[in-house]
Structure formats: structure tokens, C-alpha cells
Amino acid sequence: MADAIGDTALNLPSHDPYRRVTDILQRLSPGRMRIAFLLGAGCPLSIRENGAPLIPDIAGLTHLVKASLLSSEKTEAVATGLWERVKGRNIQAPTIEDLLSHARTLLSLCGESGIDGFSKAQLKAFDEGACSTVRSAVSKPLPSEGTPYHTLASWIQSIYREHPVEIFTTNYDELMEQALESRSVPYFDGFVGSASAFLDLDSMMEDDLPARWARLWKMHGSINWWLTNTDQVRRSRDKIDGEQLLIYPSHLKYDQSRQMPYLAMLDRLRVFLRAHQSVVVTCGYSFVDEHINAYLAQGLAGNSNASCLALIYGDLASVPDAVKLARRHANLTVMAADGAVIGTVDRPWCSDQKDNNPAYEIAVTRDALPGRSVAPDEQCKWLLGDFAAFGALLASQLSNRDGEPGPLQ
């Protein structure tokens, strides 16, 4: 009976997920609007090999790093000590990013005699060992075809825009680069050169790239960024002895040479959000990074023509920071499995089912999502927080790009 009556007849407050699908397709259609994608750690999880993610999530990376460091006599003591110290700060399940942040804070304060029972050599060994393990874990080749990364690259190549598409990512891997190159999409990532590319801040500040180019901003560094002995930042797949891998900007008390690439990439987000008619679509990003959240909040507050559409994999309860921001900023829309925050209003999805648009079945379901959502079976559930589903939506737009999205339903 409830299905037959529907939410409208029952006068239950809810959001319409089908309206959101049409809105996304309209925003992504060819035109003047500036488009950016913010890809988080959840995106590589959509690619699986033998049932396992191609690249582990942060919990998986933490497990690998901990096992590696505890198995080495050189790092066992410092790894154990740092884990206990971080847990003592009421962080019950420390991640590798928590540990790197704490180790680097101590290292920045450390004298030659050490600090808090750790020597300078121990802290450096922990940092280098952790980064080496992470690099090994995420240095994976992208499957040759059929991934959402390939679809996004094809979309960038095929959908005409007046401005370059910008891709922001917190991931250290090279999956997006591989996808862009597989589709012959030219892109600029802040570095210039070939064998040992160098960071060019002046070129990053320019906005005169051809529209067919993409911009790729890796806000947490990359497995091919290196800090040289002369405090220069270079990009190369080859390591030179004495250089340090630049991944994860754990805090802003780093020396200037280490701050430079991270802050420059973050600043590109600020610049993008200042532009007229700009929209950032996030996928796989759980809003746990305070620095990125602050830049998003400032940009959205300062430009009413800017907007952010956050596609969340799980329920709203899994992203409390995103919900908090969306309740304050009407131009941040958070769409999760069980509901959404739209125009600062937090509501579940409706239960009415629509099938008049082929894209709807890609984005919305009333089937149960065990392990992902606690929403009741009869309620609509949002699927686009899965990068694979979002890629399928982009693919559907490519296959129907001769037609325009229909009016809002």
C-alpha cells in the first residue's frame, strides 16, 4: 500500500533522486560552465582484481605499512612507539596518515639528540619506510580498458567545453594519468619537462590552456614526486638516492620546499571556485580532510555562482563533516545512499519509482544495499557515490550526447 500511495500522497518530506540525476546531466552537458572533479580514495576501490580492490583504502594501506615496519629491526621500535602515542590522543584506529603526521611533527621539532625517546634517524626511517610501502602498494597499472577512469578520460575528450576540465585528487596513484594518456587527452599537472620534470608555479597560475586540455592537481602528492637534495621538487618514476618521496601533506609546519607543491595544488581549488559558473563534482571523497574542506567552504561562501555536488558511497551518517558543511552552504549538495542535503535541508530519498529516463536505473535503486546503506527496501537509494556507477552515467551521456537532457521531473 505504501508503494502505491507514494511519498507525495503521504505528505512525507523527502528529496527526489531522479531530479538530482537530471540536474547532474544538465550541468555536465556541453556549455560554458566550468567543470571540476574531486576524486578521493574511494575511487580506486571500484576497480577490483580477483575480488580485491586494485589499490587498498586507507585502512588497507595502514595495515600494510604497520606490518612492514614492525617486521624490520630498523623501524620496529619507532613504529610501536608512534602507534601507542597516537592512540593515546584518543585516536582508537590510527591510520598511516595519522602516524605520518605525528612522526613529521616530531621530526620538525627534533634536535640532533632526538625527541621524546626517538632519535632523528628513527623518525626519518619511519617516514621513509612508510612512504616506500605506500608507493609499492599503489604503484599499480590501470587495466587496459573498461574502468571508470577510462570513461572519465573519454568524457573529457568528447564533451565540448569552453574551459579545460580540472581534476583534483587526494590519491597518490597514477591511475588518472594512465587513463588520460590511454585516450590521448593532453593534460597539465604543474610540472614541465620530460626525463626529470620540474614544478613550474608560474605556469600553474595561468588560465590560457586550450579547452581540450585537462588539468590534474594531486593535492596529497604523488608516488612520482621527489624532493631533491637541493630542495627542488621534481616528477619522475625513477628515484635518486637521498631524495624523499612527497606524499601526504601531514601538516603546514613543513619547510617551505615541502609546502610548495601541496599549497600550490590547493590554491588551484581556490582559484577554480572563484570563477563564474563553476561546479565541483566529488566522488570517493569522504570529507575528512580539514584543509580541503576549508578551501571548499571558503570558495562556496565567496561565490554564489559556484557549487559542489558531493556523491557519497554510503549513508549520510558516514560523512558527518560533509553534512555539517552542506547545512551551512546552500551551494553544497550532498547526495548519499539513503538521502541528501540539498539547499541546507537534510531529508531521505523518496520512495516513488520513475523509469522515463534510461539514466535513472544507473543512479537510483530501491533494492537493498547490504553493508552500504540501512535505508529500508522500499526507499530509493543513491548509487552514484560508487565511482563505477558514476562512470556508467558519464558513458550514458556520451552515448546520448546528440540529445539534451530533458526537463526536471
Side-chain angles (χ1 to χ4, degrees), residues 9-53:
L10 291 174
N11 199 29
L12 298 176
S14 60
H15 288 309
D16 183 353
Y18 303 102
R19 181 184 178 93
R20 295 304 110 203
V21 178
T22 304
D23 177 56
I24 291 172
L25 290 173
Q26 287 178 336
R27 290 173 186 254
L28 296 180
S29 61
R32 293 184 176 182
M33 184 168 287
R34 294 177 183 266
I35 301 295
F37 299 95
L38 171 52
L39 307 182
C43 291
L45 298 180
S46 66
I47 305 173
R48 308 187 78 82
E49 289 185 331
N50 300 319

mmCIF file of all heavy atoms in Angstrom, residues 9-53:
data_model
loop_
_atom_site.group_PDB
_atom_site.id
_atom_site.type_symbol
_atom_site.label_atom_id
_atom_site.label_comp_id
_atom_site.label_asym_id
_atom_site.label_seq_id
_atom_site.Cartn_x
_atom_site.Cartn_y
_atom_site.Cartn_z
ATOM 1 N N ALA A 9 1.645 11.525 -1.679
ATOM 2 C CA ALA A 9 0.306 11.397 -1.111
ATOM 3 C C ALA A 9 0.345 11.354 0.404
ATOM 4 O O ALA A 9 -0.544 11.849 1.087
ATOM 5 C CB ALA A 9 -0.370 10.137 -1.659
ATOM 6 N N LEU A 10 1.391 10.726 0.944
ATOM 7 C CA LEU A 10 1.526 10.648 2.403
ATOM 8 C C LEU A 10 2.049 11.949 3.001
ATOM 9 O O LEU A 10 2.114 12.098 4.218
ATOM 10 C CB LEU A 10 2.479 9.503 2.767
ATOM 11 C CG LEU A 10 1.960 8.085 2.506
ATOM 12 C CD1 LEU A 10 3.058 7.083 2.769
ATOM 13 C CD2 LEU A 10 0.746 7.787 3.374
ATOM 14 N N ASN A 11 2.465 12.870 2.130
ATOM 15 C CA ASN A 11 2.972 14.168 2.577
ATOM 16 C C ASN A 11 4.225 14.021 3.454
ATOM 17 O O ASN A 11 4.410 14.733 4.440
ATOM 18 C CB ASN A 11 1.891 14.945 3.339
ATOM 19 C CG ASN A 11 2.220 16.432 3.412
ATOM 20 O OD1 ASN A 11 2.891 16.969 2.518
ATOM 21 N ND2 ASN A 11 1.757 17.086 4.463
ATOM 22 N N LEU A 12 5.064 13.024 3.095
ATOM 23 C CA LEU A 12 6.307 12.831 3.831
ATOM 24 C C LEU A 12 7.413 13.687 3.203
ATOM 25 O O LEU A 12 7.574 13.681 1.980
ATOM 26 C CB LEU A 12 6.718 11.355 3.786
ATOM 27 C CG LEU A 12 5.745 10.371 4.438
ATOM 28 C CD1 LEU A 12 6.248 8.952 4.223
ATOM 29 C CD2 LEU A 12 5.615 10.666 5.929
ATOM 30 N N PRO A 13 8.148 14.453 4.007
ATOM 31 C CA PRO A 13 9.221 15.278 3.444
ATOM 32 C C PRO A 13 10.361 14.400 2.930
ATOM 33 O O PRO A 13 10.867 13.541 3.654
ATOM 34 C CB PRO A 13 9.664 16.139 4.626
ATOM 35 C CG PRO A 13 9.295 15.348 5.838
ATOM 36 C CD PRO A 13 8.051 14.598 5.474
ATOM 37 N N SER A 14 10.716 14.570 1.677
ATOM 38 C CA SER A 14 11.787 13.764 1.088
ATOM 39 C C SER A 14 12.376 14.518 -0.099
ATOM 40 O O SER A 14 11.806 15.484 -0.594
ATOM 41 C CB SER A 14 11.271 12.393 0.651
ATOM 42 O OG SER A 14 10.247 12.539 -0.322
ATOM 43 N N HIS A 15 13.537 14.047 -0.542
ATOM 44 C CA HIS A 15 14.164 14.582 -1.748
ATOM 45 C C HIS A 15 13.951 13.610 -2.899
ATOM 46 O O HIS A 15 13.843 12.390 -2.690
ATOM 47 C CB HIS A 15 15.667 14.788 -1.532
ATOM 48 C CG HIS A 15 16.012 15.935 -0.624
ATOM 49 N ND1 HIS A 15 15.499 17.196 -0.793
ATOM 50 C CD2 HIS A 15 16.850 15.996 0.449
ATOM 51 C CE1 HIS A 15 16.001 17.999 0.148
ATOM 52 N NE2 HIS A 15 16.810 17.296 0.912
ATOM 53 N N ASP A 16 13.926 14.133 -4.116
ATOM 54 C CA ASP A 16 13.709 13.328 -5.313
ATOM 55 C C ASP A 16 15.055 13.034 -5.973
ATOM 56 O O ASP A 16 15.687 13.933 -6.540
ATOM 57 C CB ASP A 16 12.806 14.097 -6.273
ATOM 58 C CG ASP A 16 12.468 13.292 -7.530
ATOM 59 O OD1 ASP A 16 13.037 12.203 -7.707
ATOM 60 O OD2 ASP A 16 11.651 13.769 -8.338
ATOM 61 N N PRO A 17 15.539 11.784 -5.946
ATOM 62 C CA PRO A 17 16.848 11.485 -6.541
ATOM 63 C C PRO A 17 16.859 11.614 -8.059
ATOM 64 O O PRO A 17 17.900 11.905 -8.660
ATOM 65 C CB PRO A 17 17.107 10.033 -6.109
ATOM 66 C CG PRO A 17 15.748 9.457 -5.906
ATOM 67 C CD PRO A 17 14.917 10.578 -5.373
ATOM 68 N N TYR A 18 15.705 11.402 -8.685
ATOM 69 C CA TYR A 18 15.635 11.488 -10.141
ATOM 70 C C TYR A 18 15.859 12.928 -10.616
ATOM 71 O O TYR A 18 16.478 13.165 -11.652
ATOM 72 C CB TYR A 18 14.287 10.956 -10.628
ATOM 73 C CG TYR A 18 14.028 9.544 -10.183
ATOM 74 C CD1 TYR A 18 13.175 9.279 -9.106
ATOM 75 C CD2 TYR A 18 14.633 8.466 -10.817
ATOM 76 C CE1 TYR A 18 12.936 7.981 -8.682
ATOM 77 C CE2 TYR A 18 14.398 7.162 -10.395
ATOM 78 C CZ TYR A 18 13.558 6.927 -9.326
ATOM 79 O OH TYR A 18 13.342 5.644 -8.897
ATOM 80 N N ARG A 19 15.365 13.862 -9.864
ATOM 81 C CA ARG A 19 15.599 15.270 -10.184
ATOM 82 C C ARG A 19 17.094 15.575 -10.117
ATOM 83 O O ARG A 19 17.634 16.339 -10.921
ATOM 84 C CB ARG A 19 14.826 16.150 -9.205
ATOM 85 C CG ARG A 19 14.975 17.648 -9.441
ATOM 86 C CD ARG A 19 14.249 18.428 -8.357
ATOM 87 N NE ARG A 19 14.402 19.869 -8.533
ATOM 88 C CZ ARG A 19 13.564 20.639 -9.177
ATOM 89 N NH1 ARG A 19 12.473 20.107 -9.733
ATOM 90 N NH2 ARG A 19 13.764 21.931 -9.294
ATOM 91 N N ARG A 20 17.786 14.957 -9.144
ATOM 92 C CA ARG A 20 19.226 15.179 -8.993
ATOM 93 C C ARG A 20 19.993 14.607 -10.179
ATOM 94 O O ARG A 20 20.987 15.189 -10.624
ATOM 95 C CB ARG A 20 19.733 14.533 -7.699
ATOM 96 C CG ARG A 20 19.187 15.118 -6.420
ATOM 97 C CD ARG A 20 19.455 16.614 -6.338
ATOM 98 N NE ARG A 20 18.225 17.391 -6.476
ATOM 99 C CZ ARG A 20 18.176 18.649 -6.873
ATOM 100 N NH1 ARG A 20 19.282 19.295 -7.217
ATOM 101 N NH2 ARG A 20 17.021 19.276 -6.951
ATOM 102 N N VAL A 21 19.573 13.443 -10.688
ATOM 103 C CA VAL A 21 20.241 12.849 -11.847
ATOM 104 C C VAL A 21 20.152 13.778 -13.042
ATOM 105 O O VAL A 21 21.147 14.051 -13.733
ATOM 106 C CB VAL A 21 19.623 11.476 -12.195
ATOM 107 C CG1 VAL A 21 20.305 10.886 -13.434
ATOM 108 C CG2 VAL A 21 19.753 10.512 -11.028
ATOM 109 N N THR A 22 18.956 14.285 -13.304
ATOM 110 C CA THR A 22 18.763 15.190 -14.432
ATOM 111 C C THR A 22 19.579 16.467 -14.248
ATOM 112 O O THR A 22 20.167 16.984 -15.206
ATOM 113 C CB THR A 22 17.268 15.529 -14.587
ATOM 114 O OG1 THR A 22 16.527 14.321 -14.718
ATOM 115 C CG2 THR A 22 17.033 16.401 -15.803
ATOM 116 N N ASP A 23 19.631 16.963 -13.024
ATOM 117 C CA ASP A 23 20.414 18.166 -12.740
ATOM 118 C C ASP A 23 21.889 17.934 -13.042
ATOM 119 O O ASP A 23 22.562 18.784 -13.654
ATOM 120 C CB ASP A 23 20.220 18.564 -11.278
ATOM 121 C CG ASP A 23 21.061 19.769 -10.895
ATOM 122 O OD1 ASP A 23 20.931 20.817 -11.552
ATOM 123 O OD2 ASP A 23 21.858 19.665 -9.941
ATOM 124 N N ILE A 24 22.429 16.790 -12.629
ATOM 125 C CA ILE A 24 23.837 16.489 -12.895
ATOM 126 C C ILE A 24 24.099 16.420 -14.394
ATOM 127 O O ILE A 24 25.081 16.995 -14.900
ATOM 128 C CB ILE A 24 24.234 15.165 -12.214
ATOM 129 C CG1 ILE A 24 24.253 15.336 -10.693
ATOM 130 C CG2 ILE A 24 25.602 14.686 -12.702
ATOM 131 C CD1 ILE A 24 24.458 14.035 -9.940
ATOM 132 N N LEU A 25 23.223 15.739 -15.130
ATOM 133 C CA LEU A 25 23.408 15.623 -16.577
ATOM 134 C C LEU A 25 23.348 16.985 -17.255
ATOM 135 O O LEU A 25 24.093 17.257 -18.208
ATOM 136 C CB LEU A 25 22.355 14.685 -17.165
ATOM 137 C CG LEU A 25 22.513 13.204 -16.805
ATOM 138 C CD1 LEU A 25 21.317 12.407 -17.308
ATOM 139 C CD2 LEU A 25 23.805 12.641 -17.369
ATOM 140 N N GLN A 26 22.483 17.851 -16.793
ATOM 141 C CA GLN A 26 22.399 19.191 -17.375
ATOM 142 C C GLN A 26 23.666 19.990 -17.102
ATOM 143 O O GLN A 26 24.168 20.700 -17.980
ATOM 144 C CB GLN A 26 21.180 19.919 -16.816
ATOM 145 C CG GLN A 26 19.859 19.400 -17.358
ATOM 146 C CD GLN A 26 18.663 20.113 -16.762
ATOM 147 O OE1 GLN A 26 18.735 20.669 -15.671
ATOM 148 N NE2 GLN A 26 17.542 20.070 -17.469
ATOM 149 N N ARG A 27 24.184 19.874 -15.897
ATOM 150 C CA ARG A 27 25.407 20.615 -15.564
ATOM 151 C C ARG A 27 26.610 20.106 -16.355
ATOM 152 O O ARG A 27 27.517 20.872 -16.667
ATOM 153 C CB ARG A 27 25.690 20.511 -14.072
ATOM 154 C CG ARG A 27 24.713 21.282 -13.189
ATOM 155 C CD ARG A 27 24.984 20.969 -11.726
ATOM 156 N NE ARG A 27 24.001 21.549 -10.843
ATOM 157 C CZ ARG A 27 24.216 22.615 -10.070
ATOM 158 N NH1 ARG A 27 25.381 23.228 -10.096
ATOM 159 N NH2 ARG A 27 23.272 23.062 -9.272
ATOM 160 N N LEU A 28 26.620 18.810 -16.644
ATOM 161 C CA LEU A 28 27.750 18.232 -17.356
ATOM 162 C C LEU A 28 27.597 18.288 -18.872
ATOM 163 O O LEU A 28 28.499 17.865 -19.598
ATOM 164 C CB LEU A 28 27.935 16.771 -16.936
ATOM 165 C CG LEU A 28 28.306 16.526 -15.464
ATOM 166 C CD1 LEU A 28 28.462 15.031 -15.196
ATOM 167 C CD2 LEU A 28 29.592 17.261 -15.098
ATOM 168 N N SER A 29 26.485 18.799 -19.374
ATOM 169 C CA SER A 29 26.289 18.895 -20.815
ATOM 170 C C SER A 29 27.189 19.988 -21.384
ATOM 171 O O SER A 29 27.679 20.858 -20.660
ATOM 172 C CB SER A 29 24.820 19.180 -21.133
ATOM 173 O OG SER A 29 24.427 20.410 -20.565
ATOM 174 N N PRO A 30 27.469 19.948 -22.693
ATOM 175 C CA PRO A 30 28.353 20.956 -23.292
ATOM 176 C C PRO A 30 27.882 22.372 -22.997
ATOM 177 O O PRO A 30 26.680 22.661 -22.985
ATOM 178 C CB PRO A 30 28.259 20.635 -24.787
ATOM 179 C CG PRO A 30 27.892 19.189 -24.845
ATOM 180 C CD PRO A 30 26.990 18.960 -23.672
ATOM 181 N N GLY A 31 28.832 23.252 -22.757
ATOM 182 C CA GLY A 31 28.472 24.636 -22.472
ATOM 183 C C GLY A 31 29.598 25.402 -21.833
ATOM 184 O O GLY A 31 30.758 24.992 -21.841
ATOM 185 N N ARG A 32 29.242 26.535 -21.248
ATOM 186 C CA ARG A 32 30.245 27.440 -20.691
ATOM 187 C C ARG A 32 30.637 27.100 -19.259
ATOM 188 O O ARG A 32 31.615 27.620 -18.757
ATOM 189 C CB ARG A 32 29.701 28.876 -20.720
ATOM 190 C CG ARG A 32 29.517 29.446 -22.116
ATOM 191 C CD ARG A 32 29.077 30.900 -22.033
ATOM 192 N NE ARG A 32 28.986 31.496 -23.357
ATOM 193 C CZ ARG A 32 28.662 32.769 -23.564
ATOM 194 N NH1 ARG A 32 28.374 33.550 -22.528
ATOM 195 N NH2 ARG A 32 28.609 33.247 -24.791
ATOM 196 N N MET A 33 29.845 26.282 -18.593
ATOM 197 C CA MET A 33 30.106 26.014 -17.192
ATOM 198 C C MET A 33 31.478 25.371 -17.007
ATOM 199 O O MET A 33 31.867 24.479 -17.762
ATOM 200 C CB MET A 33 29.012 25.120 -16.608
ATOM 201 C CG MET A 33 29.141 24.865 -15.123
ATOM 202 S SD MET A 33 27.653 24.100 -14.420
ATOM 203 C CE MET A 33 26.516 25.491 -14.441
ATOM 204 N N ARG A 34 32.197 25.834 -16.010
ATOM 205 C CA ARG A 34 33.495 25.240 -15.672
ATOM 206 C C ARG A 34 33.253 23.999 -14.815
ATOM 207 O O ARG A 34 32.534 24.067 -13.825
ATOM 208 C CB ARG A 34 34.360 26.251 -14.917
ATOM 209 C CG ARG A 34 34.773 27.463 -15.754
ATOM 210 C CD ARG A 34 35.570 28.448 -14.905
ATOM 211 N NE ARG A 34 35.926 29.639 -15.644
ATOM 212 C CZ ARG A 34 37.080 29.822 -16.291
ATOM 213 N NH1 ARG A 34 37.999 28.854 -16.232
ATOM 214 N NH2 ARG A 34 37.330 30.930 -16.936
ATOM 215 N N ILE A 35 33.872 22.898 -15.194
ATOM 216 C CA ILE A 35 33.652 21.621 -14.526
ATOM 217 C C ILE A 35 34.949 21.140 -13.897
ATOM 218 O O ILE A 35 36.015 21.160 -14.518
ATOM 219 C CB ILE A 35 33.157 20.549 -15.512
ATOM 220 C CG1 ILE A 35 31.833 20.989 -16.169
ATOM 221 C CG2 ILE A 35 32.990 19.206 -14.816
ATOM 222 C CD1 ILE A 35 30.683 21.103 -15.212
ATOM 223 N N ALA A 36 34.853 20.688 -12.646
ATOM 224 C CA ALA A 36 35.983 20.045 -11.980
ATOM 225 C C ALA A 36 35.483 18.789 -11.292
ATOM 226 O O ALA A 36 34.325 18.706 -10.865
ATOM 227 C CB ALA A 36 36.634 20.987 -10.965
ATOM 228 N N PHE A 37 36.360 17.817 -11.180
ATOM 229 C CA PHE A 37 36.067 16.585 -10.441
ATOM 230 C C PHE A 37 37.068 16.470 -9.299
ATOM 231 O O PHE A 37 38.263 16.698 -9.487
ATOM 232 C CB PHE A 37 36.178 15.360 -11.356
ATOM 233 C CG PHE A 37 35.216 15.372 -12.507
ATOM 234 C CD1 PHE A 37 35.594 15.856 -13.748
ATOM 235 C CD2 PHE A 37 33.914 14.915 -12.350
ATOM 236 C CE1 PHE A 37 34.712 15.884 -14.818
ATOM 237 C CE2 PHE A 37 33.018 14.932 -13.410
ATOM 238 C CZ PHE A 37 33.417 15.420 -14.641
ATOM 239 N N LEU A 38 36.570 16.146 -8.120
ATOM 240 C CA LEU A 38 37.421 15.865 -6.968
ATOM 241 C C LEU A 38 37.299 14.370 -6.667
ATOM 242 O O LEU A 38 36.252 13.896 -6.232
ATOM 243 C CB LEU A 38 36.989 16.704 -5.762
ATOM 244 C CG LEU A 38 37.641 16.395 -4.407
ATOM 245 C CD1 LEU A 38 39.155 16.375 -4.498
ATOM 246 C CD2 LEU A 38 37.185 17.399 -3.353
ATOM 247 N N LEU A 39 38.367 13.632 -6.939
ATOM 248 C CA LEU A 39 38.367 12.181 -6.792
ATOM 249 C C LEU A 39 39.117 11.798 -5.525
ATOM 250 O O LEU A 39 40.285 12.152 -5.350
ATOM 251 C CB LEU A 39 39.025 11.519 -8.008
ATOM 252 C CG LEU A 39 38.476 11.920 -9.387
ATOM 253 C CD1 LEU A 39 39.194 11.148 -10.482
ATOM 254 C CD2 LEU A 39 36.966 11.700 -9.463
ATOM 255 N N GLY A 40 38.440 11.060 -4.647
ATOM 256 C CA GLY A 40 39.035 10.670 -3.383
ATOM 257 C C GLY A 40 39.468 9.217 -3.364
ATOM 258 O O GLY A 40 39.445 8.506 -4.383
ATOM 259 N N ALA A 41 39.834 8.766 -2.180
ATOM 260 C CA ALA A 41 40.401 7.427 -2.011
ATOM 261 C C ALA A 41 39.411 6.317 -2.340
ATOM 262 O O ALA A 41 39.814 5.167 -2.571
ATOM 263 C CB ALA A 41 40.901 7.257 -0.579
ATOM 264 N N GLY A 42 38.104 6.625 -2.381
ATOM 265 C CA GLY A 42 37.119 5.608 -2.699
ATOM 266 C C GLY A 42 37.093 5.223 -4.161
ATOM 267 O O GLY A 42 36.565 4.158 -4.518
ATOM 268 N N CYS A 43 37.655 6.052 -5.037
ATOM 269 C CA CYS A 43 37.566 5.777 -6.477
ATOM 270 C C CYS A 43 38.319 4.518 -6.904
ATOM 271 O O CYS A 43 37.773 3.692 -7.648
ATOM 272 C CB CYS A 43 38.029 6.996 -7.266
ATOM 273 S SG CYS A 43 36.893 8.403 -7.145
ATOM 274 N N PRO A 44 39.580 4.314 -6.475
ATOM 275 C CA PRO A 44 40.263 3.076 -6.889
ATOM 276 C C PRO A 44 39.595 1.808 -6.379
ATOM 277 O O PRO A 44 39.819 0.731 -6.942
ATOM 278 C CB PRO A 44 41.669 3.235 -6.278
ATOM 279 C CG PRO A 44 41.849 4.698 -6.066
ATOM 280 C CD PRO A 44 40.480 5.206 -5.735
ATOM 281 N N LEU A 45 38.777 1.910 -5.326
ATOM 282 C CA LEU A 45 38.108 0.728 -4.793
ATOM 283 C C LEU A 45 37.099 0.151 -5.780
ATOM 284 O O LEU A 45 36.691 -1.008 -5.663
ATOM 285 C CB LEU A 45 37.394 1.063 -3.484
ATOM 286 C CG LEU A 45 38.273 1.540 -2.318
ATOM 287 C CD1 LEU A 45 37.412 1.821 -1.092
ATOM 288 C CD2 LEU A 45 39.351 0.523 -1.988
ATOM 289 N N SER A 46 36.689 0.961 -6.760
ATOM 290 C CA SER A 46 35.713 0.490 -7.735
ATOM 291 C C SER A 46 36.334 -0.456 -8.764
ATOM 292 O O SER A 46 35.619 -1.098 -9.526
ATOM 293 C CB SER A 46 35.080 1.680 -8.463
ATOM 294 O OG SER A 46 36.045 2.362 -9.251
ATOM 295 N N ILE A 47 37.664 -0.535 -8.781
ATOM 296 C CA ILE A 47 38.363 -1.446 -9.700
ATOM 297 C C ILE A 47 38.875 -2.621 -8.880
ATOM 298 O O ILE A 47 39.628 -2.432 -7.921
ATOM 299 C CB ILE A 47 39.535 -0.732 -10.393
ATOM 300 C CG1 ILE A 47 39.048 0.534 -11.101
ATOM 301 C CG2 ILE A 47 40.220 -1.667 -11.379
ATOM 302 C CD1 ILE A 47 40.163 1.376 -11.656
ATOM 303 N N ARG A 48 38.473 -3.827 -9.258
ATOM 304 C CA ARG A 48 38.813 -4.993 -8.450
ATOM 305 C C ARG A 48 39.533 -6.047 -9.279
ATOM 306 O O ARG A 48 39.242 -6.235 -10.462
ATOM 307 C CB ARG A 48 37.548 -5.578 -7.808
ATOM 308 C CG ARG A 48 36.725 -4.539 -7.057
ATOM 309 C CD ARG A 48 35.574 -5.150 -6.303
ATOM 310 N NE ARG A 48 35.988 -5.777 -5.063
ATOM 311 C CZ ARG A 48 36.188 -5.110 -3.922
ATOM 312 N NH1 ARG A 48 36.027 -3.804 -3.879
ATOM 313 N NH2 ARG A 48 36.550 -5.759 -2.831
ATOM 314 N N GLU A 49 40.482 -6.696 -8.628
ATOM 315 C CA GLU A 49 41.215 -7.805 -9.226
ATOM 316 C C GLU A 49 41.075 -9.026 -8.315
ATOM 317 O O GLU A 49 41.438 -8.966 -7.138
ATOM 318 C CB GLU A 49 42.691 -7.458 -9.393
ATOM 319 C CG GLU A 49 42.986 -6.429 -10.469
ATOM 320 C CD GLU A 49 44.482 -6.240 -10.664
ATOM 321 O OE1 GLU A 49 45.255 -6.422 -9.705
ATOM 322 O OE2 GLU A 49 44.864 -5.892 -11.800
ATOM 323 N N ASN A 50 40.512 -10.093 -8.865
ATOM 324 C CA ASN A 50 40.292 -11.313 -8.080
ATOM 325 C C ASN A 50 39.503 -11.030 -6.803
ATOM 326 O O ASN A 50 39.780 -11.582 -5.739
ATOM 327 C CB ASN A 50 41.630 -11.974 -7.738
ATOM 328 C CG ASN A 50 42.415 -12.363 -8.971
ATOM 329 O OD1 ASN A 50 41.844 -12.855 -9.951
ATOM 330 N ND2 ASN A 50 43.723 -12.135 -8.944
ATOM 331 N N GLY A 51 38.528 -10.120 -6.915
ATOM 332 C CA GLY A 51 37.660 -9.806 -5.795
ATOM 333 C C GLY A 51 38.196 -8.766 -4.839
ATOM 334 O O GLY A 51 37.473 -8.312 -3.945
ATOM 335 N N ALA A 52 39.447 -8.359 -4.994
ATOM 336 C CA ALA A 52 40.054 -7.373 -4.100
ATOM 337 C C ALA A 52 40.231 -6.053 -4.831
ATOM 338 O O ALA A 52 40.414 -6.025 -6.053
ATOM 339 C CB ALA A 52 41.402 -7.878 -3.590
ATOM 340 N N PRO A 53 40.184 -4.914 -4.097
ATOM 341 C CA PRO A 53 40.401 -3.622 -4.753
ATOM 342 C C PRO A 53 41.778 -3.549 -5.403
ATOM 343 O O PRO A 53 42.751 -4.111 -4.885
ATOM 344 C CB PRO A 53 40.291 -2.617 -3.593
ATOM 345 C CG PRO A 53 39.562 -3.328 -2.513
ATOM 346 C CD PRO A 53 39.923 -4.770 -2.663
#
